[in-house]
Amino acid sequence: MASIPADVQEFLINYPRNGDDRRLSANLGFYTNTNRCQPDNLLIEEVHEQWYGDHDKLERKHGFIQWLFPIREHGMNFDSQPLQPHEIAAIKADPVALKRILTSYNLMLDFYGMRLVSEETGAVDRVLPPRNYVPRYENLVYSSHNYLRISRILKCLSEFGFERLNAGFLLHVLCEQSEAHELNAPRLRASMDRWWANCIRNEEEREWVGGIITKVRLDEGYVFTREMYAAALEQRRSTGSFRNENMKVEL
């Protein structure tokens, strides 16, 4: 894993040195709607209700992302805490709290000009009119601090049992780059190829997604289409794996 960034390597091996500090439970309190995030002093239900679609606020504010998507790493908001294993177990055991993870994901997808089409497969598409994906895509291209946010989002989804959504997001972005020539800026591609695409703990799935990305990058004649995207996600849904010798998106 020499080419994988150190923080992603720690994520992939499940942070063996971090332990579990049971004195820390701020993330659990936030996701059970009893603890307010700081510095914004809001409950999670208030963030979801008040900030959805407020793109200027989501771009300008920075401390909320550590609360909406807690991971087992320190972030730039020192009012937040690293996620603890006992918090992961408690949130996963609470259907209401767990559903809030998906609501947080949907909030950020909308901010990026996207929407979750299927919780089962992880399929993502552009936002529907009258919401306009174009300015959101432009913001994602030029506001590179969002690249760090996306790495955090993907790691968080994996921690809470939603890793199937990661490939849906990554392959949507790849399809937009390959077929629609959107989201194709060099810095975004660099973050995607080195960080985002490696934020999948399932080794087979990580290698398959990485292989498709590499093929698009190196083969100018290869186009990863929306049809291929849908077929890949359906293949995984029906068989549990992206790999299929007869599938035309296979390497």
Side-chain angles (χ1 to χ4, degrees):
M1 296 195 301
S3 65
I4 300 178
D7 66 297
V8 180
Q9 290 189 36
E10 284 292 299
F11 158 78
L12 290 177
I13 60 176
N14 204 31
Y15 306 99
R17 294 184 291 273
N18 285 19
D20 186 9
D21 189 340
R22 291 188 169 270
R23 297 170 299 175
L24 302 179
S25 59
N27 298 297
L28 175 59
F30 181 61
Y31 259 92
T32 53
N33 207 44
T34 59
N35 184 53
R36 294 180 178 272
C37 67
Q38 300 300 332
D40 298 299
N41 199 38
L42 295 171
L43 297 171
I44 190 167
E45 292 285 356
E46 294 172 337
V47 175
H48 288 162
E49 292 170 6
Q50 298 174 24
W51 289 22
Y52 183 90
D54 192 339
H55 299 149
D56 289 340
K57 182 170 289 181
L58 292 169
E59 177 62 29
R60 185 178 71 254
K61 295 278 190 175
H62 299 287
F64 75 93
I65 201 73
Q66 285 83 12
W67 291 95
L68 284 189
F69 300 98
I71 58 175
R72 298 188 64 196
E73 304 171 25
H74 288 279
M76 297 302 292
N77 179 0
F78 295 104
D79 290 323
S80 66
Q81 296 174 357
L83 181 65
Q84 303 299 312
H86 73 270
E87 295 182 297
I88 297 172
I91 291 171
K92 290 175 73 173
D94 182 337
V96 175
L98 196 61
K99 184 69 174 178
R100 292 185 179 119
I101 299 285
L102 291 176
T103 303
S104 295
Y105 182 49
N106 278 295
L107 181 146
M108 291 306 293
L109 283 179
D110 179 78
F111 174 63
Y112 295 137
M114 306 174 195
R115 61 189 173 94
L116 183 61
V117 176
S118 170
E119 292 181 9
E120 182 180 13
T121 68
V124 169
D125 207 341
R126 298 172 183 174
V127 291
L128 291 171
R131 302 180 80 82
N132 188 353
Y133 81 93
V134 175
R136 308 315 316 148
Y137 274 22
E138 290 176 350
N139 186 75
L140 181 53
V141 165
Y142 292 110
S143 296
S144 59
H145 69 94
N146 282 293
Y147 304 163
L148 295 173
R149 289 176 169 185
I150 289 171
S151 294
R152 171 176 283 271
I153 290 167
L154 296 175
K155 291 175 183 177
C156 179
L157 292 174
S158 292
E159 293 286 13
F160 288 103
F162 295 119
E163 187 166 274
R164 66 184 181 277
L165 304 181
N166 294 12
F169 175 84
L170 289 162
L171 294 175
H172 165 74
V173 174
L174 185 67
C175 177
E176 292 288 69
Q177 293 169 342
S178 181
E179 185 176 44
H181 307 292
E182 298 274 10
L183 302 175
N184 216 13
R187 287 190 303 170
L188 190 151
R189 289 198 307 270
S191 289
M192 177 176 174
D193 295 3
R194 191 163 184 230
W195 272 271
W196 307 349
N198 285 310
C199 291
I200 300 174
R201 284 179 172 146
N202 182 306
E203 185 175 0
E204 178 185 290
E205 193 156 300
R206 185 173 70 251
E207 290 179 352
W208 191 92
V209 170
I212 292 294
I213 292 172
T214 298
K215 187 170 180 64
V216 168
R217 301 290 186 251
L218 298 181
D219 185 349
E220 294 183 359
Y222 181 83
V223 178
F224 184 67
T225 67
R226 180 62 49 175
E227 181 182 2
M228 292 176 178
Y229 173 68
L233 293 180
E234 174 57 25
Q235 161 70 21
R236 184 185 59 173
R237 186 201 65 78
S238 62
T239 70
S241 174
F242 282 119
R243 298 195 180 278
N244 182 343
E245 292 180 0
N246 298 319
M247 192 169 176
K248 61 184 177 182
V249 300
E250 185 64 77
L251 294 179

